[in-house]
Amino acid sequence: MFVTTMGIAQIDSEHLKLGATAPAIKGQDQYGKMINSEDILKSQDILLIFYRGNWCPHCNKHLSSLQSHLKEFQEKGVFVVVVTPEKLEKTIETAEMYDNEFSIIHDSNNTIMLDYKVAFEVNQETVPGYYEKLNKRLEDYNVDSNVLPVPATYFIDRSGKITYVHHDPDYKKRSDLSEILALLN
């Protein structure tokens, strides 16, 4: 098993832990391909990353790093899927902006985020200091404008178990993809 990283709870830190059975991931990616984790896990592990949106510079940096490591993950038999509350057209925009080759799923009805317990309501309490600015941005980018995910990363092995978790309510702190790759050796 891998290491779990926890942050200071700005947002409820009740999330899926190491060893938990991963909920199903189902949705359509930016290319129109139906993604179903149950099918993928028959032959590959899954690296699942939740991101807030292409308006977030920390998310963009993380996705850029993910793209630069994508071939390494694929060579190790890992399917990479990214989940976001962004509108479908924004997932397409994100993929085109950064030349992403991994699947990005618009999380319809926030189902995947809720299943993984990473969804939180954007309000004065959860994002003090910049609620108004963030809320306006979310109205432009998201279908459900008041919900975001904690930027979390899960590694799911072929048995469907979660073997790596990075869940940190500090949106500036992201999983280290090089570390995950090293753990797969």
Side-chain angles (χ1 to χ4, degrees), residues 156-174:
I156 305 162
D157 71 14
R158 292 178 196 178
S159 74
K161 296 293 184 192
I162 295 171
T163 59
Y164 173 92
V165 176
H166 177 95
H167 179 280
D168 193 326
D170 182 344
Y171 66 91
K172 296 175 187 171
K173 296 179 182 175
R174 304 302 169 101

Side-chain angles (χ1 to χ4, degrees), residues 141-159:
Y141 279 78
N142 295 4
V143 174
D144 184 351
S145 64
N146 70 336
V147 175
L148 281 178
V150 169
T153 301
Y154 291 89
F155 191 89
I156 305 162
D157 71 14
R158 292 178 196 178
S159 74

